[in-house]
């Protein structure tokens, strides 16, 4: 695809001559007769390089360059400043305004082509570097997500949950606000795997994870704790509201039709709420919920127990 060049030149004869020459050299050319038109074209059309006359009828070429370099959509487009003024100060002003190169008028066509080629080559290298950086950022983002995500259920993993609950515990202690931790476990899960296979067990874990997530608020956090266990953090939630949430989860799981299962799947849940005199750390917070879960399992399953 031919590179697209925006030529900003108010002299019609010079503009036509430059356009004809560049098109004969294989470039696509757009003409603009003043600075405002040039800015509008550069912002609305994909342009690969700009040949910008310093003296324009409506605004100085340096001002046009500044506008283009301040705009995120156009700041990466190379600008070659064209001028009849052969002064060091003029060149410095143009470069400070953002011009990438400087060419005196009248210019030699061969030199113009060489400068255009050099600017396009530099832009191509910069674009390639930007693309590599963008790909690297996306890769790092995916790696970060993988590092905190359980691969089966798509929930947070245990390690990430521990960091979240640590922060929430500290906030709760500081502001004296309530919070609750719930530990949930799929009942008779070993029997499910033995009778239906591990793939069926994986399906159940995925669907239980989805059910729990759908019962929670955006501010709540659910993670896979390990095996068939899930852990839930409800920030700024007192015991009564926590029990309502736990009951909703329990009912949603037991009434759900799991594929390939001829009998209901249920869960047991343990609940711990802070502030509590015996819970003075995030670790004890989770342990308290785990202890309540153990009680629920020992008392018949498919139930909720509170510390």
């Amino acid at each position: 695809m031919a590179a697209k060049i925006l030529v900003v030149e108010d002299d019609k004869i010079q503009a036509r001559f430059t356009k004809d020459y560049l098109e004969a050299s294989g470039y696509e050319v757009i003409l603009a007769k003043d600075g405002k038109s040039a800015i509008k074209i550069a912002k609305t059309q994909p342009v690969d390089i700009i040949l910008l006359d310093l003296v324009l009828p409506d605004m100085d070429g340096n001002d046009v360059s500044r506008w283009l370099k301040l705009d995120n959509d156009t700041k990466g487009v190379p600008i070659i400043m064209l001028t009849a003024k052969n002064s060091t100060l003029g060149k410095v002003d143009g470069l400070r305004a953002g011009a990438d190169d400087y060419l005196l008028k009248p210019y030699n066509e061969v030199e113009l082509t060489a400068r255009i080629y050099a600017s396009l080559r530099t832009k191509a290298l910069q674009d390639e570097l930007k693309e590599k950086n963008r790909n690297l950022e996306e890769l790092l983002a995916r790696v970060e997500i993988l590092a905190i995500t359980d691969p089966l259920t798509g929930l947070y993993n245990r390690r990430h949950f521990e960091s979240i609950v640590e922060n929430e515990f500290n906030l709760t202690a500081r502001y004296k606000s309530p919070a609750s931790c719930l530990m949930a476990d799929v009942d008779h899960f070993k029997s499910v795997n033995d009778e239906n296979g591990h793939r069926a067990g994986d399906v159940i874990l995925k669907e239980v994870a989805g059910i729990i997530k759908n019962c929670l608020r955006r501010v709540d956090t659910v993670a896979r704790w390990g095996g068939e266990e899930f852990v839930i953090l409800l920030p700024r939630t007192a015991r009564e509201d926590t029990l309502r949430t736990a009951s909703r989860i329990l009912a949603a799981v037991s009434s759900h039709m799991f594929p390939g299962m001829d009998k209901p799947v249920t869960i047991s849940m343990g609940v711990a709420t802070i502030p509590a005199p015996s819970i003075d750390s995030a670790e004890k917070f989770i342990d308290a919920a785990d202890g309540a879960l153990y009680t629920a399992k020992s008392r018949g399953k498919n139930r909720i127990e509170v510390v």
Side-chain angles (χ1 to χ4, degrees), residues 19-20 30 54-55 67 70 80 85-86 142 153 173 217 219 230 262:
K19 184 176 188 294
D20 291 344
I30 305 173
L54 179 62
V55 180
W67 275 101
L70 286 173
I80 299 178
K85 297 179 180 180
N86 185 13
R142 288 197 295 269
T153 62
R217 306 165 300 178
V219 297
F230 300 88
D262 54 5

mmCIF file of all heavy atoms in Angstrom, residues 19-20 30 54-55 67 70 80 85-86 142 153 173 217 219 230 262:
data_model
loop_
_atom_site.group_PDB
_atom_site.id
_atom_site.type_symbol
_atom_site.label_atom_id
_atom_site.label_comp_id
_atom_site.label_asym_id
_atom_site.label_seq_id
_atom_site.Cartn_x
_atom_site.Cartn_y
_atom_site.Cartn_z
ATOM 1 N N LYS A 19 2.811 17.595 -5.718
ATOM 2 C CA LYS A 19 1.850 16.489 -5.779
ATOM 3 C C LYS A 19 2.150 15.589 -6.972
ATOM 4 O O LYS A 19 2.200 14.344 -6.846
ATOM 5 C CB LYS A 19 0.429 17.038 -5.873
ATOM 6 C CG LYS A 19 -0.671 15.965 -5.851
ATOM 7 C CD LYS A 19 -2.045 16.637 -5.842
ATOM 8 C CE LYS A 19 -3.154 15.618 -5.632
ATOM 9 N NZ LYS A 19 -3.306 14.661 -6.727
ATOM 10 N N ASP A 20 2.342 16.202 -8.138
ATOM 11 C CA ASP A 20 2.603 15.407 -9.343
ATOM 12 C C ASP A 20 3.878 14.589 -9.188
ATOM 13 O O ASP A 20 3.930 13.410 -9.581
ATOM 14 C CB ASP A 20 2.709 16.328 -10.569
ATOM 15 C CG ASP A 20 1.372 16.949 -10.936
ATOM 16 O OD1 ASP A 20 0.342 16.451 -10.446
ATOM 17 O OD2 ASP A 20 1.376 17.946 -11.688
ATOM 18 N N ILE A 30 -2.362 14.090 -0.491
ATOM 19 C CA ILE A 30 -3.506 14.946 -0.168
ATOM 20 C C ILE A 30 -2.984 16.372 -0.017
ATOM 21 O O ILE A 30 -1.949 16.591 0.623
ATOM 22 C CB ILE A 30 -4.179 14.509 1.150
ATOM 23 C CG1 ILE A 30 -4.577 13.036 1.102
ATOM 24 C CG2 ILE A 30 -5.396 15.368 1.450
ATOM 25 C CD1 ILE A 30 -5.084 12.506 2.420
ATOM 26 N N LEU A 54 6.203 26.425 6.205
ATOM 27 C CA LEU A 54 6.297 27.255 7.409
ATOM 28 C C LEU A 54 5.367 28.460 7.349
ATOM 29 O O LEU A 54 4.765 28.841 8.355
ATOM 30 C CB LEU A 54 7.746 27.717 7.603
ATOM 31 C CG LEU A 54 8.013 28.608 8.818
ATOM 32 C CD1 LEU A 54 7.691 27.882 10.116
ATOM 33 C CD2 LEU A 54 9.466 29.071 8.826
ATOM 34 N N VAL A 55 5.247 29.058 6.169
ATOM 35 C CA VAL A 55 4.433 30.267 6.009
ATOM 36 C C VAL A 55 3.096 29.882 5.379
ATOM 37 O O VAL A 55 3.034 29.453 4.218
ATOM 38 C CB VAL A 55 5.149 31.318 5.145
ATOM 39 C CG1 VAL A 55 4.276 32.566 4.993
ATOM 40 C CG2 VAL A 55 6.496 31.678 5.741
ATOM 41 N N TRP A 67 0.186 21.896 17.388
ATOM 42 C CA TRP A 67 -1.142 21.324 17.525
ATOM 43 C C TRP A 67 -1.126 19.825 17.212
ATOM 44 O O TRP A 67 -1.706 19.011 17.940
ATOM 45 C CB TRP A 67 -2.121 22.030 16.590
ATOM 46 C CG TRP A 67 -2.717 23.272 17.159
ATOM 47 C CD1 TRP A 67 -2.352 24.565 16.903
ATOM 48 C CD2 TRP A 67 -3.782 23.365 18.104
ATOM 49 N NE1 TRP A 67 -3.112 25.450 17.624
ATOM 50 C CE2 TRP A 67 -4.009 24.745 18.375
ATOM 51 C CE3 TRP A 67 -4.576 22.429 18.750
ATOM 52 C CZ2 TRP A 67 -4.992 25.194 19.252
ATOM 53 C CZ3 TRP A 67 -5.557 22.872 19.636
ATOM 54 C CH2 TRP A 67 -5.756 24.238 19.874
ATOM 55 N N LEU A 70 0.628 17.713 19.896
ATOM 56 C CA LEU A 70 -0.063 17.641 21.185
ATOM 57 C C LEU A 70 -1.255 16.691 21.150
ATOM 58 O O LEU A 70 -1.767 16.306 22.191
ATOM 59 C CB LEU A 70 -0.538 19.037 21.601
ATOM 60 C CG LEU A 70 0.543 20.010 22.092
ATOM 61 C CD1 LEU A 70 -0.049 21.402 22.300
ATOM 62 C CD2 LEU A 70 1.179 19.505 23.379
ATOM 63 N N ILE A 80 7.863 17.059 8.057
ATOM 64 C CA ILE A 80 9.021 17.697 7.428
ATOM 65 C C ILE A 80 8.627 19.146 7.146
ATOM 66 O O ILE A 80 7.701 19.416 6.375
ATOM 67 C CB ILE A 80 9.429 16.986 6.131
ATOM 68 C CG1 ILE A 80 9.831 15.527 6.423
ATOM 69 C CG2 ILE A 80 10.593 17.726 5.460
ATOM 70 C CD1 ILE A 80 10.211 14.734 5.176
ATOM 71 N N LYS A 85 13.286 30.230 4.480
ATOM 72 C CA LYS A 85 14.133 30.958 5.425
ATOM 73 C C LYS A 85 15.308 30.093 5.871
ATOM 74 O O LYS A 85 15.111 29.080 6.560
ATOM 75 C CB LYS A 85 13.314 31.384 6.646
ATOM 76 C CG LYS A 85 12.174 32.348 6.299
ATOM 77 C CD LYS A 85 11.383 32.725 7.536
ATOM 78 C CE LYS A 85 10.255 33.683 7.208
ATOM 79 N NZ LYS A 85 9.467 34.052 8.411
ATOM 80 N N ASN A 86 16.494 30.481 5.474
ATOM 81 C CA ASN A 86 17.684 29.696 5.806
ATOM 82 C C ASN A 86 18.380 30.311 7.028
ATOM 83 O O ASN A 86 19.377 31.015 6.915
ATOM 84 C CB ASN A 86 18.639 29.658 4.604
ATOM 85 C CG ASN A 86 19.831 28.750 4.866
ATOM 86 O OD1 ASN A 86 19.829 27.970 5.815
ATOM 87 N ND2 ASN A 86 20.839 28.856 4.015
ATOM 88 N N ARG A 142 -2.110 -10.821 30.679
ATOM 89 C CA ARG A 142 -2.631 -12.193 30.691
ATOM 90 C C ARG A 142 -1.906 -13.041 31.733
ATOM 91 O O ARG A 142 -2.534 -13.849 32.436
ATOM 92 C CB ARG A 142 -2.483 -12.826 29.299
ATOM 93 C CG ARG A 142 -3.447 -12.261 28.271
ATOM 94 C CD ARG A 142 -3.553 -13.174 27.060
ATOM 95 N NE ARG A 142 -2.304 -13.273 26.335
ATOM 96 C CZ ARG A 142 -1.953 -12.488 25.323
ATOM 97 N NH1 ARG A 142 -2.773 -11.530 24.951
ATOM 98 N NH2 ARG A 142 -0.802 -12.649 24.708
ATOM 99 N N THR A 153 -12.271 -23.004 37.370
ATOM 100 C CA THR A 153 -13.516 -22.264 37.604
ATOM 101 C C THR A 153 -13.480 -20.823 37.102
ATOM 102 O O THR A 153 -14.531 -20.201 36.943
ATOM 103 C CB THR A 153 -13.829 -22.232 39.108
ATOM 104 O OG1 THR A 153 -12.773 -21.537 39.792
ATOM 105 C CG2 THR A 153 -13.933 -23.648 39.674
ATOM 106 N N ALA A 173 -10.593 -3.445 60.714
ATOM 107 C CA ALA A 173 -10.049 -3.099 62.025
ATOM 108 C C ALA A 173 -9.893 -1.599 62.183
ATOM 109 O O ALA A 173 -10.115 -1.043 63.263
ATOM 110 C CB ALA A 173 -8.708 -3.803 62.221
ATOM 111 N N ARG A 217 -22.618 -9.606 45.347
ATOM 112 C CA ARG A 217 -22.522 -8.240 44.844
ATOM 113 C C ARG A 217 -21.177 -8.057 44.139
ATOM 114 O O ARG A 217 -20.279 -8.904 44.264
ATOM 115 C CB ARG A 217 -22.619 -7.249 46.011
ATOM 116 C CG ARG A 217 -23.847 -7.419 46.887
ATOM 117 C CD ARG A 217 -23.676 -6.652 48.196
ATOM 118 N NE ARG A 217 -22.513 -7.124 48.943
ATOM 119 C CZ ARG A 217 -22.105 -6.611 50.104
ATOM 120 N NH1 ARG A 217 -22.770 -5.605 50.639
ATOM 121 N NH2 ARG A 217 -21.044 -7.095 50.716
ATOM 122 N N VAL A 219 -18.937 -5.957 44.955
ATOM 123 C CA VAL A 219 -17.873 -5.701 45.940
ATOM 124 C C VAL A 219 -17.424 -6.969 46.655
ATOM 125 O O VAL A 219 -16.404 -6.970 47.348
ATOM 126 C CB VAL A 219 -18.332 -4.663 46.987
ATOM 127 C CG1 VAL A 219 -18.602 -3.336 46.330
ATOM 128 C CG2 VAL A 219 -19.565 -5.160 47.748
ATOM 129 N N PHE A 230 -14.837 -23.547 48.364
ATOM 130 C CA PHE A 230 -14.860 -22.166 47.909
ATOM 131 C C PHE A 230 -14.869 -21.253 49.126
ATOM 132 O O PHE A 230 -15.407 -21.616 50.177
ATOM 133 C CB PHE A 230 -16.104 -21.890 47.061
ATOM 134 C CG PHE A 230 -16.208 -22.752 45.832
ATOM 135 C CD1 PHE A 230 -16.835 -23.997 45.887
ATOM 136 C CD2 PHE A 230 -15.667 -22.334 44.632
ATOM 137 C CE1 PHE A 230 -16.924 -24.798 44.762
ATOM 138 C CE2 PHE A 230 -15.754 -23.133 43.495
ATOM 139 C CZ PHE A 230 -16.380 -24.365 43.565
ATOM 140 N N ASP A 262 -28.474 -37.411 38.621
ATOM 141 C CA ASP A 262 -29.841 -37.862 38.864
ATOM 142 C C ASP A 262 -30.319 -37.536 40.275
ATOM 143 O O ASP A 262 -31.427 -37.915 40.670
ATOM 144 C CB ASP A 262 -29.962 -39.374 38.608
ATOM 145 C CG ASP A 262 -28.950 -40.195 39.411
ATOM 146 O OD1 ASP A 262 -28.224 -39.586 40.232
ATOM 147 O OD2 ASP A 262 -28.890 -41.415 39.221
#
